[in-house]
Amino acid sequence: MEPNNQAGVIIAEAVTKVYSDNGVPVEAVRGIDLTIKHGEFTAIVGPSGSGKTTFLNIVSGLDSVTSGRVWLAGRLLSEMSGRELSDFRRDSIGFIFQAYNLIPVLSVEENIEYIMLLQGVGKSERHRRVGRILEKLGLAEFADRVPVKLSGGQQQRVAVARAMVAEPVLVLADEPTANLDSKTGAGLLDMMRELNQTTGMTFVFSTHDRAIMERATRLVTLKDGRVDNDETRD
Amino acid sequence: MTLMIYCKLAWRNVLRNKRRTLIAGIAIGIGLAALIYVDALILGMEDNMVKSATSSFLGEGQIHREGFRQTFEVDLTVNNLAEVVESIKQEEVVESFTLRTFCFGMISSPANVSSVSMVGVDPANERHLSQVDEALVEGTYFEGDDDRQLLIGRKLAELLEVGLGDRVVMTAAQAGTGDLAQEMFRVSGIYYFNVPQMDQYMAFVLISKARQMLALGDEAHQIALKFHDAYLGRDQDHPFWNRYSRNGNEAVGWTVLLPQLEAAFELSGFSTLIVAIILFGVVSLGIVNTLFMSLHERMFEFGVMRAVGTRPVAMGQLVILEAGALAILSVVLGMILGFVTLYISTRIGIDYTGIEFAGVTFRELLYPVMEVRQFIVFPLWVFAFTVGIAFYPAIYAARLTPAKAMRKSF
Ligand SMILES: Nc1ncnc2c1ncn2[C@@H]1O[C@H](COP(=O)(O)OP(=O)(O)O)[C@@H](O)[C@H]1O
Ligand SMILES: [Mg+2]
């Protein structure tokens, strides 16, 4: 039965994932039901190995489920081909990873532009949007630099800019602050929260850092591949 | 439009690890340079061998009576000689020709005897066809009408223990009757080809004298030919050969006269192929290795690119473009390397003189033959091959699932 897609950006239904680790089955996700609503600023938390990355990969189509179903922005992911998934991620999801988010041989500007290039956005429109987001995130002075010439915090900000620039439905961030010191990490999270409030964009991020999870409006705690706790705050 | 960004990415990625790119580029470049060089060397060798074989005496082609070539029978003279000669004079492809007589005979000096092939030549025309005049180390080429002049090789002179001006006696069987004829000659010149067959077993006399001695009248056994385009000697399908292979005569180019040489050339063509296959095998391993190395160390990057929406096919495309960029660098390196080494070799030459191969002794320095073709065809081969082989890592890259790619890198 089709769930009501108005109800959530992400709808996960009885999702499981079993990996084979040299022939030994590893149950990374053991049955998660979760709906993420529009505009939420959700933290997925839990100790290392609890299945955060696996879950985020599954709901963004980077990995497949073993059983269960996932709808993202109204599309059932398992129905899409590899190419459709690629295009869908390009248009609908912004990604921020723990580190090395950026293509090292491209400048900051070119990195942010990349997704729009894939989308076939015209040159002047691309420049307008890149300029605007660089300005907004205070990155304008770094436009021509290559990623190695930036600090870790600056690189993560550029990754946020790249994730936002094509105006996706959802931004997914897997431990975006794990490689940053706590102050820089908090700053990044504040920036993301502000973008969430001003644009209404949905954010889901994972962390195991207490100070970071405090900033979330909803806290989903995973334990051994299951939802252990799900609290909404204000 | 996205192709542009992938070209940019590919180019920058190749330049990213300069040392590895340089090493791979040099390896491929050396392969290409070797290919170019081997080809040029073989061409030079063929040219040299053909020249050595044809210009010292053989000629690029010959006309004789059918069967003469196999038996050297004195009776088998060229049919309708006068008519054939008139016709050849009109041939535009022929640069020069000369008439010769042949017979096996005995040459004797007070000290020794030896069997030789006595060749009667027309001195003025012979000059253009053979290098006996140039190979003289003592005495003079035929001068005046003294019909007792005789040119022999140095080995034969040593064997007979004769020098310039010494008398020798030649004995041969006449045409028709088979009666023995004997004539006295004076050694007027001694030559040295560094080719045993010529230095020991041949003796040159005036054709007029030979005809008289062998009772041949105005006949001759052979018309030796030289063409404006030396290639005609190799082109046995040219109508020229047919035109003169009639009335009991046969006209043949040097490839027929020296079948072992043509066979050797076919063999050397085959060896270029072997060299090419070995080089390409080594080079391809190098390319695949380089591409996989750079792929594996960028696994996470590939994962991120796939995650943010790069299509699987585009990832493969990127790997192919990187191989293309590497190939361009390598080909340029190889062409420079090939050109420099070849250029030097064509200037100084390679010394194989005195060495015999396929029945031909190298008499001049060997100069590799540089051709534009070598710098177009081989680079294209190498380029196409490099890009072709890249499909293997490209397919691998296209099949990577983003989650796996990113996990693999930790
Ligand atoms: N590709 C894989 N192959 C085998 N085991 C895996 C794979 N990916 C994750 N796992 C295992 O699944 C479990 C959950 O991992 P993960 O989702 O990375 O947790 P987290 O992100 O919360 O640290 C871990 O035990 C991990 O070792
Ligand atoms: Mg994780």
Side-chain angles (χ1 to χ4, degrees), chain A residues 48-49 51-54 98 174-175 206:
Chain A
S48 187
K52 304 184 292 294
T53 297
T54 304
Q98 186 173 324
D174 190 8
E175 309 218 28
S206 71

Side-chain angles (χ1 to χ4, degrees), chain B residues 261-273:
Chain B
L261 199 57
E262 182 69 0
F265 290 176
E266 265 162 38
L267 201 70
S268 63
F270 185 65
S271 59
T272 320
L273 191 70

Side-chain angles (χ1 to χ4, degrees), chain A residues 17 74 77 99 129 147 185 189 223:
Chain A
K17 180 71 185 180
L77 295 185
R129 287 209 236 165
L189 247 289
K223 195 177 159 194

Side-chain angles (χ1 to χ4, degrees), chain A residues 83 86-87 89 105 110 114, chain B residues 8 12 306-307 310-311:
Chain A
R83 181 187 172 133
S86 287
D87 291 358
R89 283 197 301 267
V105 293
E110 289 167 331
Y114 181 73
Chain B
K8 194 198 282 187
R12 290 186 191 173
R306 288 281 284 111
T310 311
R311 290 176 182 169

Side-chain angles (χ1 to χ4, degrees), chain B residues 295 302 306 311-317 319 391-402:
Chain B
L295 204 148
F302 272 58
R306 288 281 284 111
R311 290 176 182 169
V313 174
M315 295 312 301
Q317 207 180 358
V319 171
F391 271 81
Y392 173 36
I395 288 169
Y396 180 88
R399 288 197 176 150
L400 279 174
T401 65

Side-chain angles (χ1 to χ4, degrees), chain B residues 376-388:
Chain B
I376 295 173
V377 174
F378 294 132
L380 281 178
W381 273 22
V382 171
F383 182 82
F385 185 79
T386 307
V387 171

